[in-house]
């Protein structure tokens, strides 16, 4: 008996169509299934980018510093983090150091208010002609240069104003604040609209715990 081979390799007794799979004798081989092609095709791994050795974050191209932890891929060191000043200080300008003052807070003795823990100092440059002290608020339309909205709940939206006069002396003026503006160790605050000349080392107290110490250049 004659035997014929189909495109799939089966031995068939029929000359026209395979009596095993039905493929046409002499026709093209059947296409490979997707599963068989995946098995036969070589798998290629996508190249992995360089990872930060400190935190494992993928490196963005040839960027020098890790976007997550700041690791320096060039020197192999972590950055030396320092507390940044909220505003740049320019040499030759008056500055004010702001801090939460426990002595001033004790003098106020505001019920239900707890003195903040772990607060640091903030240094700002006094930029002529004026520096407003208050709380930023879109609804009130206030945008003070020295914004204490997130640091002292007792500061009024328009609390006080620092002004450089023609003689080069900084003045502080109370703007009708709720809790008053105090100078140094004085027991009475400035009245609304009242001004006082300041010198190097003078302290201005606002809110429930904030003290500003002025420093001459």
């Amino acid at each position: 008996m004659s035997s014929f081979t189909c495109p799939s390799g089966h031995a068939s007794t029929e000359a026209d169509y395979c009596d095993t799979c039905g493929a046409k004798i002499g026709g093209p081989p059947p296409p490979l299934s997707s599963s068989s092609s995946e098995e036969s095709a070589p798998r290629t791994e996508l190249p992995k980018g360089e990872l930060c050795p400190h935190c494992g974050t993928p490196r963005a191209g040839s960027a020098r510093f890790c976007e997550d932890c700041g690791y320096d891929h060039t020197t192999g060191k972590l950055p030396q983090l320092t507390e940044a000043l909220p505003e740049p200080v320019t040499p030759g300008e008056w500055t004010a150091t702001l801090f939460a003052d426990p002595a001033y807070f004790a003098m106020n003795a505001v019920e239900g208010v707890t003195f903040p823990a772990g607060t640091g100092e903030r240094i700002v440059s006094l930029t002529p002609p004026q520096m407003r002290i208050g709380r930023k608020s879109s609804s009130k339309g206030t945008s003070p240069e020295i914004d204490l909205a997130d640091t002292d709940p007792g500061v009024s939206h328009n609390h006080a104003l620092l002004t450089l006069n023609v003689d080069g002396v900084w003045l502080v003026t109370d703007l009708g604040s709720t809790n008053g503006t105090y100078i140094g160790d004085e027991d009475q605050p400035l009245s609304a609209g009242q001004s006082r000349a300041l010198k190097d080392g003078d302290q201005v107290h606002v809110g429930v715990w904030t003290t500003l110490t002025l420093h001459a250049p």
Side-chain angles (χ1 to χ4, degrees):
M1 180 183 292
S2 299
S3 177
F4 304 92
T5 304
C6 80
S8 298
H10 301 129
S12 175
T13 58
E14 301 293 334
D16 49 358
Y17 291 96
C18 176
D19 52 15
T20 299
C21 66
K24 185 178 180 181
I25 303 298
L32 295 175
S33 64
S34 59
S35 59
S36 61
S37 62
E38 289 178 357
E39 293 176 358
S40 59
R43 296 181 179 271
T44 57
E45 295 288 340
L46 294 176
K48 295 182 179 180
E50 182 180 355
L51 301 180
C52 172
H54 180 254
C55 68
T57 300
R59 184 177 183 179
S62 58
R64 175 173 176 176
F65 298 100
C66 174
E67 295 179 354
D68 190 17
C69 69
Y71 175 83
D72 191 334
H73 288 278
T74 301
T75 63
K77 297 180 180 179
L78 287 170
Q80 297 298 317
L81 300 179
T82 57
E83 184 177 353
L85 299 177
E87 298 179 15
V89 176
T90 304
E93 289 185 338
W94 280 72
T95 61
T97 301
L98 287 69
F99 64 98
D101 188 342
Y104 176 59
F105 175 75
M107 185 184 72
N108 286 321
V110 180
E111 185 178 356
V113 178
T114 304
F115 186 77
T119 59
E121 294 183 345
R122 171 185 170 191
I123 302 176
V124 298
S125 289
L126 301 186
T127 306
Q130 293 180 331
M131 297 283 287
R132 188 176 298 267
I133 303 171
R135 298 171 61 86
K136 184 177 181 179
S137 170
S138 56
S139 61
K140 297 288 185 180
T142 56
S143 183
E145 289 77 16
I146 301 178
D147 180 20
L148 300 176
D150 297 329
T151 57
D152 192 329
V155 174
S156 300
H157 287 94
N158 286 304
H159 196 107
L161 185 67
L162 296 170
T163 306
L164 185 66
N165 67 12
V166 294
D167 297 323
V169 176
W170 281 96
L171 309 175
V172 61
T173 306
D174 183 82
L175 299 177
S177 62
T178 302
N179 295 324
T181 301
Y182 291 81
I183 309 298
D185 297 329
E186 297 180 6
D187 295 331
Q188 296 298 319
L190 299 177
S191 59
Q194 183 181 3
S195 298
R196 180 72 61 82
L198 301 171
K199 62 183 184 299
D200 181 36
D202 278 352
Q203 291 189 325
V204 177
H205 311 288
V206 297
V208 292
W209 56 56
T210 300
T211 292
L212 295 83
T213 305
L214 270 68
H215 305 285

